[in-house]
Amino acid sequence: MEDFLRQNIVLVSTLAKAIVVPIAIMNVVPFMVLLERRGSAFIQDRRGPERASIFGIRMFGLWHTIADAMKFITKEKVVPAGAHPVFFYMAPALLLIPAIGAFAGVPFAADVTIAGETIPLQVARLDAGILYAFGVASLGVLGIALAGWASNNKFSLLGSLRSASQMLSYEVSMGLTIMGVLLIYQSLRPEVIVQAQAGPIWKWGIFVQPVGAVLFLVVGFAEANRLPFDLPEGDSELVAGYHTEYSGMKFAIFFMSEYMSMVTISAMVTTLFLGGWQIPFVTTERLHGWFGTDVAGQALTALCQVTSFAAKVGSLLWLFVWVRWTQARFRFDQLMKLGWRTMLPLALLNLIVTAAVMLVIWKDDPRFGLGFTG
Amino acid sequence: MSPLAQYFPIAVLVLFAIVVAVFLIGLDHFLGPRQPNPTKLEPYECGILGVGTARQRFKVGFYIVALLFLLFDVETVFLYTWVVLFMPLGLIGFVEVALFLFVLAVGLYYAWRKGALEWE
């Protein structure tokens, strides 16, 4: 067994990453629900869920989340009479699979070298990891559109139509806002972009692309269907939007997918604008200098970097909660107006200004203007 | 790593995601009580009896959004290739893309003036 592990360390680590990472993201969801409940209580100056106790242990209210999961599984399943027999079941899966898959390109620590093999600490190292992440994340809209149509409910249909057009509108801006960063770092590989942000804190994307960072964060909120852009499930007008007719675990899957897409968006913001797993002023080499480069030293280095990554993602997740409980919802026409008339022109402007500035900065670089022949 | 081999972890991940999704929906299907009656199975309409089916015609504005998305997103895809080759392409690439973006902006302005971005 040990020999097998030693010989196939790349294969084993690849399989392990592809299973452990999605499980980790799914396990962020209950903690995020807890954070949301306690956070809303904190913001509204009231008591949050904290009373449930098992043998006197309260666990800060985590029992409520566990009880929710039990309730979701054992609840009565109601499938409305007019619902499509196949699509009604397929829609939650179509939303969950992209939500799990989109995280795969994000690196969460520097490469580790064990037994002479370099193991990247990201699920998949792709030539165009950024494109992969955005491509897969945008597939979620299929599940939402299908859920609304399959339910045979007018609220669901309206919710899913709104959601689809919202996500499509903001996706255009999303594609354009990240281009400024990609242009500066000249790569579509997330690990290269993170590596370029090593060292001093002012090398982070948010300092070289401040407008792009703000635009991307706003668009990210819209893509995750979160307040102030949560019109698809605007409960004062559409009951619950596209998942009105869903109950039990199928509803829970929609719920989980929303939280997982928030985690993915936060991870993308971290990777592109907040230096990914980089610790400000402390490069991987310096960490290796402190801890050594044997297996224990590499593990400690990776642990520090994963902690840095998790801290950044956690802060952004808290920002999602913070905004949700302090901002009011947009009206649908305001939302579309913001998307097409403000975000899209600003994103175009940001790209062209960035390109013009980089043209001036790079004009003396030996690689500049050589085309494909150089 | 060969271009296809780097997608092997993705295949594992997607397979895992499918297993999780099927497991959760299957679990949901087999656990829990089930006492359907005609009233319970009606589509939810805030307690009012539903009129007609939900699969009917809807506002044309949603189609226009889909159309605009298709136009602008395809144009965005073109820009990705320029962005990663910005430095070697240099000034010529910049001028060409500036013209391209100008056409894109004119298209947006046209859609705007035609009222395609209006939601009353």
Side-chain angles (χ1 to χ4, degrees):
Chain A
M1 185 65 196
E2 201 159 300
D3 284 345
F4 175 79
L5 280 179
R6 209 175 290 279
Q7 280 156 14
N8 296 292
I9 194 154
V10 176
L11 180 69
V12 171
S13 68
T14 304
L15 289 177
K17 280 182 294 178
I19 304 295
V20 170
V21 170
I23 291 176
I25 304 169
M26 282 194 280
N27 278 304
V28 173
V29 176
F31 289 99
M32 187 60 199
V33 173
L34 181 71
L35 179 74
E36 183 121 70
R37 289 180 179 162
R38 297 302 299 267
S40 63
F42 169 66
I43 285 170
Q44 297 173 342
D45 197 17
R46 58 172 169 82
R47 306 302 286 267
E50 54 171 10
R51 293 277 140 179
S53 71
I54 295 181
F55 305 121
I57 304 164
R58 281 186 178 167
M59 290 274 284
F60 315 106
L62 198 61
W63 297 129
H64 291 263
T65 318
I66 293 166
D68 279 346
M70 308 293 274
K71 183 75 178 169
F72 279 137
I73 295 171
T74 54
K75 196 122 177 79
E76 177 175 356
K77 313 311 179 253
V78 181
V79 180
H84 193 285
V86 179
F87 293 157
F88 189 75
Y89 290 92
M90 227 169 89
L94 270 182
L95 194 59
L96 184 69
I97 293 164
I100 294 178
F103 196 84
V106 177
F108 43 87
D111 298 357
V112 291
T113 312
I114 297 171
E117 295 278 4
T118 306
I119 297 161
L121 283 186
Q122 75 194 92
V123 175
R125 178 155 283 183
L126 307 172
D127 289 334
I130 301 278
L131 282 186
Y132 166 82
F134 287 110
V136 172
S138 61
L139 286 179
V141 71
L142 290 178
I144 290 179
L146 203 59
W149 186 81
S151 298
N152 191 30
N153 179 317
K154 284 159 199 156
F155 293 119
S156 302
L157 182 76
L158 273 177
S160 73
L161 282 174
R162 275 187 180 192
S163 181
S165 51
Q166 169 181 342
M167 287 170 91
L168 294 185
S169 299
Y170 280 79
E171 216 167 277
V172 178
S173 309
M174 183 176 243
L176 282 169
T177 45
I178 58 165
M179 267 182 213
V181 195
L182 302 179
L183 195 147
I184 287 172
Y185 297 126
Q186 288 284 286
S187 181
L188 282 172
R189 288 174 164 270
E191 69 273 12
V192 174
I193 291 171
V194 171
Q195 197 54 52
Q197 302 178 59
I201 196 168
W202 53 85
K203 288 178 95 177
W204 283 8
I206 193 165
F207 294 105
V208 291
Q209 274 281 300
V211 179
V214 173
L215 288 176
F216 185 74
L217 201 62
V218 173
V219 175
F221 273 77
E223 284 289 305
N225 287 336
R226 282 286 288 194
L227 264 161
F229 304 107
D230 76 330
L231 289 126
E233 40 198 291
D235 34 1
S236 54
E237 39 201 75
L238 285 180
V239 189
Y242 56 86
H243 53 56
T244 303
E245 291 291 355
Y246 282 89
S247 57
M249 206 64 207
K250 289 195 285 297
F251 166 74
I253 290 176
F254 285 116
F255 196 69
M256 274 166 67
S257 303
E258 186 186 318
Y259 279 89
M260 277 157 67
S261 69
M262 273 194 305
V263 175
T264 307
I265 300 266
S266 302
M268 292 313 296
V269 173
T270 305
T271 303
L272 292 171
F273 296 104
L274 298 179
W277 43 261
Q278 300 282 1
I279 306 165
F281 303 103
V282 184
T283 57
T284 312
E285 290 72 34
R286 191 179 284 190
L287 281 172
H288 279 158
W290 291 342
F291 302 131
T293 47
D294 56 337
V295 174
Q298 299 232 18
L300 266 176
T301 307
L303 192 68
C304 287
Q305 288 167 340
V306 171
T307 309
S308 163
F309 180 77
K312 289 169 187 174
V313 172
S315 314
L316 285 166
L317 287 176
W318 166 247
L319 185 71
F320 272 99
V321 173
W322 186 5
V323 168
R324 173 169 177 185
W325 296 100
T326 44
Q327 297 298 313
R329 183 182 298 136
F330 278 108
R331 240 175 28 225
F332 191 66
D333 62 322
Q334 293 170 329
L335 172 99
M336 298 306 273
K337 210 181 256 180
L338 181 76
W340 286 100
R341 299 187 184 181
T342 312
M343 303 305 284
L344 186 56
L346 276 179
L348 280 172
L349 202 66
N350 180 50
L351 175 63
I352 204 78
V353 169
T354 307
V357 170
M358 293 321 278
L359 204 63
V360 174
I361 292 176
W362 277 341
K363 71 175 187 305
D364 297 323
D365 194 286
R367 286 165 296 167
F368 183 78
L370 288 175
F372 295 102
T373 52
Chain B
M1 228 192 285
S2 78
L4 259 180
Q6 60 186 350
Y7 284 92
F8 170 68
I10 305 283
V12 177
L13 185 79
V14 169
L15 203 68
F16 177 74
I18 291 172
V19 169
V20 169
V22 169
F23 172 73
L24 286 179
I25 294 171
L27 197 71
D28 178 70
H29 194 77
F30 292 114
L31 288 178
R34 207 178 272 266
Q35 287 121 18
N37 65 54
T39 318
K40 196 187 275 179
L41 294 186
E42 266 177 31
Y44 178 77
E45 298 263 6
C46 300
I48 307 166
L49 285 178
V51 178
T53 167
R55 284 165 201 149
Q56 47 181 307
R57 291 189 290 178
F58 49 82
K59 194 172 159 62
V60 72
F62 292 112
Y63 290 97
I64 295 179
V65 169
L67 214 59
L68 285 175
F69 165 74
L70 208 61
L71 286 174
F72 283 95
D73 217 43
V74 168
E75 289 170 88
T76 314
V77 171
F78 285 133
L79 289 174
Y80 277 104
T81 50
W82 164 68
V83 154
V84 285
L85 289 169
F86 178 76
M87 197 168 341
L89 289 178
L91 190 64
I92 298 168
F94 175 76
V95 171
E96 282 180 3
V97 168
L99 282 172
F100 180 67
L101 283 180
F102 176 72
V103 174
L104 199 66
V106 169
L108 183 66
Y109 178 72
Y110 175 76
W112 193 327
R113 282 300 298 272
K114 276 284 176 184
L117 311 180
E118 298 286 344
W119 288 83
E120 73 278 8

